[in-house]
Amino acid sequence: MPPRRVITGRSQEPRKRFAEELRLLRVERKLTFRALGDALGWDGSLFSKMEKGETLGGPEVIQALETYYGVPGLLLALWELALGDPTQFKERYRRYMSLEAEAVNLWHHAVSVLPGLLQTPAYARTLLASGGLKGEELDEQVTARIGRRELLSGDDAPRFRTILSEMVLHTRLGDPGAWREQLEYLLTLSERPNITIQVMPASEGIYALSSTDVMFLRLVDGRTVAWVETFHTGELVTDATAIERLQLGYDHVRDLALSPVQTQKLILKMLEESQCDPST
């Protein structure tokens, strides 16, 4: 069957189409970003970022826009398609991203860097640039990574637990202000009911998964798959025996890790120390 002919001339890529529709609705009503923000109770810069594709916004914002514009169901449908759009990511990650968008529970362990779902734009840019990305490609990947954070927002967001090696929190960004912003963001996220953050103390020495970054995804059909990652590449693991071995290691790590409350206190202490450090 030949591909469907594009009639409207609008983008067929979910994220771009979502941004286009937002702009069309606003422009048709001759609204500035500030006027739209005043009407809905959000800062106008949020709507600017949404139209630029820098963020997708949360479901509360989308529902408010639908009510204001009188287009029930339209924007939410486009938002859901944009949120689950895997084409924004590198080819080898696309299958994983599709599964991540469908997951009902996520369990994660980090060896040296924060997971993408918890990164600020400055952290994501620094990390991606260290891997060789630059220019427009770097900008696109930063935008795509930050857009993924919407997965953890909203009433139907999946539960997410991450256990961070203490080394993650000692690997600072070069910009002190950006690093403090990242620590503050972690504290904010740790207050969300669906997010649990724990730290694995360095004093425990070598432990199970001490050299392995892994994300477990519990899917709607009850299956669990895992994404095992190194600095250069990642592998989707679907074999039940291999996943069971990884999960046993994860259970061991969780038993040794600081509690969520202890972790919050540690991050807060690091934040306070960074603010008092005369070198920053």
Side-chain angles (χ1 to χ4, degrees):
M1 176 182 295
R4 185 172 65 89
R5 184 165 60 92
V6 178
I7 298 174
T8 64
R10 301 176 190 173
S11 176
Q12 301 300 294
E13 297 179 24
R15 288 181 70 92
K16 290 184 178 180
R17 180 61 174 270
F18 175 66
E20 286 179 2
E21 293 295 337
L22 288 177
R23 182 178 183 280
L24 285 169
L25 287 167
R26 181 182 60 82
V27 170
E28 284 175 356
R29 289 160 179 79
K30 299 179 180 180
L31 293 168
T32 63
F33 292 120
R34 181 174 181 177
L36 183 59
D38 289 344
L40 297 183
W42 276 277
D43 192 293
S45 63
L46 171 62
F47 302 108
S48 174
K49 291 178 180 178
M50 291 172 70
E51 289 186 20
K52 291 177 182 176
E54 295 176 1
T55 182
L56 293 176
E60 298 85 0
V61 179
I62 305 307
Q63 290 170 351
L65 285 167
E66 284 191 334
T67 300
Y68 184 73
Y69 288 136
V71 288
L74 172 64
L75 293 180
L76 188 60
L78 291 174
W79 178 80
E80 289 176 341
L81 290 172
L83 189 65
D85 178 21
T87 62
Q88 60 194 301
F89 302 103
K90 294 287 188 179
E91 180 66 35
R92 66 175 180 271
Y93 295 122
R94 288 181 182 175
R95 186 181 177 202
Y96 166 75
M97 293 301 171
S98 295
L99 293 173
E100 182 184 78
E102 300 171 7
V104 294
N105 283 291
L106 305 95
W107 303 277
H108 175 264
H109 172 258
V111 174
S112 58
V113 298
L114 290 168
L117 292 172
L118 305 186
Q119 293 174 11
T120 60
Y123 192 102
R125 179 171 294 276
T126 301
L127 187 61
L128 290 166
S130 71
L133 294 181
K134 56 185 178 181
E136 185 176 342
E137 185 179 14
L138 174 60
D139 292 340
E140 289 176 353
Q141 290 303 309
V142 170
T143 298
R145 177 163 296 188
I146 297 307
R148 286 175 57 205
R149 302 190 312 187
E150 303 297 339
L151 177 71
L152 300 180
S153 301
D155 295 337
D156 296 326
R159 296 192 63 83
F160 175 68
R161 177 190 298 272
T162 184
I163 304 176
L164 310 172
S165 164
E166 190 174 345
M167 180 58 66
V168 173
L169 297 182
H170 288 296
T171 307
R172 301 183 175 191
L173 293 176
D175 181 339
W179 178 239
R180 286 193 289 269
E181 181 184 6
Q182 178 64 75
L183 292 176
E184 291 169 350
Y185 187 58
L186 288 178
L187 286 173
T188 299
L189 291 177
S190 70
E191 297 292 341
R192 291 189 188 177
N194 64 312
I195 297 178
T196 301
I197 302 176
Q198 295 178 258
V199 167
M200 182 66 175
S203 59
E204 293 293 340
I206 296 175
Y207 60 92
L209 302 182
S210 61
S211 62
T212 305
D213 276 70
V214 61
M215 176 78 87
F216 298 97
L217 306 177
R218 183 66 178 272
L219 306 178
V220 291
D221 61 6
R223 291 184 300 129
T224 297
V225 299
W227 177 260
V228 179
E229 192 164 23
T230 67
F231 181 74
H232 295 290
T233 189
E235 177 187 3
L236 186 65
V237 180
T238 58
D239 177 72
T241 301
I243 290 173
E244 183 177 7
R245 287 198 299 268
L246 287 168
Q247 286 183 315
L248 287 173
Y250 190 84
D251 289 344
H252 178 63
V253 174
R254 187 170 55 186
D255 290 341
L256 297 175
L258 298 179
S259 71
V261 172
Q262 291 172 319
T263 295
Q264 286 179 322
K265 291 179 179 178
L266 175 61
I267 297 174
L268 181 59
K269 179 182 177 183
M270 295 183 70
L271 179 58
E272 292 172 344
E273 290 174 347
S274 72
Q275 292 170 337
C276 297
D277 188 345
S279 65
T280 62

